[in-house]
Amino acid sequence: MMNTPQPLPLACSPLPVPSARRGACPSLDAPMATGDGLLVRLRPLDGSLTPGQFAAIAAAAKQFGNGLIEVTARGNLQVRGLDTETAPAFAQTILAMDMPLSSGVAIETPPLTGIDPGEILDPRPLADALRQAIEAHMPPLQLAPKLSITVDAGGRFHLGGIVADIRLSAVLSADGAVFWCLSLAGNARTARPVALLAEEQVVDAVVTLLRALDALGPAARGRNLDVEAWRGHFALPVAFAEGHAKPAPLPVGIHAFDPARPLLGVGLSFCQIEADVLIAFLAPMEKLGAGEIRLAPEHGFFLVGIAPEKIGEGLSLAATHGLRTSPADPANAIAVCAGARGCASAFFDTHALARTVITEAPSLLDGSLTLHLSGCRKGCAHPAAAGLTLTAAPTGYGLVVNGSASGSPDAYIAAKDVTSAFRRLAVLVDTERQAGETAAASLERLGAGAIGQVLQRDWE
């Protein structure tokens, strides 16, 4: 058991000023205004829905919005192009489906929990207990809209790469007992561990942290908590590693944990799919035996239930409908936001530029790095550093090497020269690449300064 509670530690850094642009989290009852209308985000409970439910959401997106559906980097659904008149009707249609939806604090579990044989245990009961405790808390907790908790029990498709305010990661002791590593503000690599908890201690510990965040105000996030003070507060052992030796793979492709129950994973090209295309894809997949959809991080989803002898046909159908099906697809390496077509803050068409880069500079997209095309400096599609980030600049574009959209550019590129700049960059990498070297390794060896000089000279 935990020691007698001490006064709650509070902040170790100033709180951010709430922002109407970035602080909100769109939902059925609170859509967000974007460049192409109102946007609604849906979080099916545990990321699970049937093909029929998915198709019904797509039909509603077409009827009440512009027909564009997105799966976010965290595995949530987004529907675009609603307006003040159609958004209430869309919400009523979704609620009438009686589909379990998550609300309030985002509590996330791995996409194949309960299926992935590599997970230590099924984390959903603990996630459910946390939801119930938060919902029942009196007075209600006033927390940041984007605050998130991950409950991760490992497996191949773990959540090690997902950033969360509060992380709970299952670990096994030497004698086979299960404990939970509680850490704050980051992913598996960057979050700072606070305590190693027995399962019966977890809910109380998390609620205690949430109460402290509530006391700090509605903008408080995990990064605002003093890790050292909380370690002292809990006075429990600390686990300094989550055990995720390898990054989780992309969902795309055929995954045969059990040869008798293969799974098909697909990805949306540039995060989006048209409602008609999704409906046309789901109908034959259901005939092939797909009975469940599991939404997944990295803009994809899994289809569960397809018979082994039909899985190849399903893969071909997915490719025919424009979905990503292979880890070698160059689109896997590009992170894009909605761009100027869907966001008032964006200054260029990110999707059009992504297609251009795939055509003109495919050797940069070998899977070793992420190319982030950001319509503005907010960097919504990929907040963390990327191998290459292109963002809007006053005179065209700014290119950041091994940094984020808000970073200082290593080169400026005029709008009219962006295609030739990517060609030159690909030629530079191809020319300087050493035997067996990836694009990422080549760029790292060349250095941001040399890359910037080549592209800057091209622009000047």
Side-chain angles (χ1 to χ4, degrees), residues 6-282:
Q6 306 167 25
L8 299 182
L10 294 180
C12 65
S13 59
L15 297 184
V17 177
S19 167
R21 293 179 299 167
R22 298 196 66 183
C25 193
S27 60
L28 276 177
D29 58 351
M32 175 183 288
T34 65
D36 59 352
L38 298 179
L39 179 146
V40 164
R41 184 173 299 155
L42 303 173
R43 290 190 282 125
L45 190 65
D46 298 325
S48 176
L49 62 164
T50 66
Q53 289 170 333
F54 205 0
I57 292 171
K62 180 182 178 183
Q63 180 179 359
F64 301 112
N66 62 12
L68 281 179
I69 297 167
E70 298 174 333
V71 178
T72 71
R74 301 183 76 97
N76 295 316
L77 280 179
Q78 291 186 162
V79 172
R80 309 191 68 93
L82 302 164
D83 59 37
T84 53
E85 293 184 359
T86 61
F90 174 79
Q92 291 175 1
T93 299
I94 298 301
L95 293 173
M97 293 168 55
D98 200 28
M99 175 178 60
L101 295 173
S102 296
S103 60
V105 176
I107 300 178
E108 300 165 312
T109 54
L112 293 181
T113 186
I115 297 174
D116 192 330
E119 63 183 358
I120 294 173
L121 78 171
D122 188 336
R124 289 175 294 185
L126 179 56
D128 290 340
L130 283 170
R131 288 190 190 97
Q132 293 170 17
I134 295 168
E135 291 172 1
H137 192 278
M138 296 301 294
L141 295 165
Q142 303 298 314
L143 301 168
K146 291 190 176 182
L147 190 140
S148 64
I149 301 170
T150 56
V151 186
D152 187 359
R156 186 177 184 195
F157 292 96
H158 56 77
L159 298 181
I162 297 292
V163 172
D165 295 275
I166 298 173
R167 300 184 61 82
L168 292 164
S169 301
V171 293
L172 281 175
S173 68
D175 61 1
V178 177
F179 290 89
W180 291 90
C181 174
L182 171 65
S183 55
L184 296 175
N187 56 28
R189 183 178 59 84
T190 62
R192 298 188 65 190
V194 170
L196 192 62
L197 306 169
E199 184 160 340
E200 62 270 16
Q201 298 172 311
V202 170
V203 173
D204 285 346
V206 171
V207 171
T208 300
L209 289 170
L210 295 178
R211 285 175 50 226
L213 290 168
D214 174 83
L216 287 171
R221 303 293 295 271
R223 59 181 174 267
N224 300 115
L225 295 173
D226 187 325
V227 171
E228 294 301 331
W230 280 103
R231 286 176 180 170
H233 174 81
F234 289 126
L236 289 166
V238 174
F240 286 94
E242 291 191 15
H244 295 314
K246 296 181 179 179
L250 294 169
V252 297
I254 296 173
H255 308 281
F257 297 116
D258 178 351
R261 290 189 66 200
L263 304 172
L264 175 59
V266 299
L268 306 189
S269 292
F270 311 133
C271 320
Q272 294 183 337
I273 189 169
E274 294 181 2
D276 285 340
V277 175
L278 179 59
I279 293 169
F281 169 64
L282 291 172

Side-chain angles (χ1 to χ4, degrees), residues 2 56 59 86 100 180 207 216 236 259 289 293 358 382 394 418 434 444:
M2 287 181 284
T86 61
W180 291 90
V207 171
L216 287 171
L236 289 166
I293 303 290
I358 288 174
H382 197 280
V418 67
Q434 297 179 354
E444 183 177 0

Side-chain angles (χ1 to χ4, degrees), residues 356-366 369 371 388 399 413 417-434 437-440 442-443 445-446 451 454-455 458:
T356 297
V357 175
I358 288 174
T359 301
E360 302 293 338
S363 59
L364 295 175
L365 308 175
D366 62 357
L369 60 81
L371 169 63
L388 292 170
L399 183 74
I413 304 168
D417 295 329
V418 67
T419 299
S420 63
F422 272 106
R423 285 198 204 105
R424 284 178 63 87
L425 185 56
V427 169
L428 174 66
V429 170
D430 290 342
T431 301
E432 299 294 332
R433 193 193 306 254
Q434 297 179 354
E437 196 172 50
T438 65
S442 180
L443 288 171
R445 181 173 51 78
L446 291 167
I451 295 166
V454 168
L455 296 182
D458 184 50

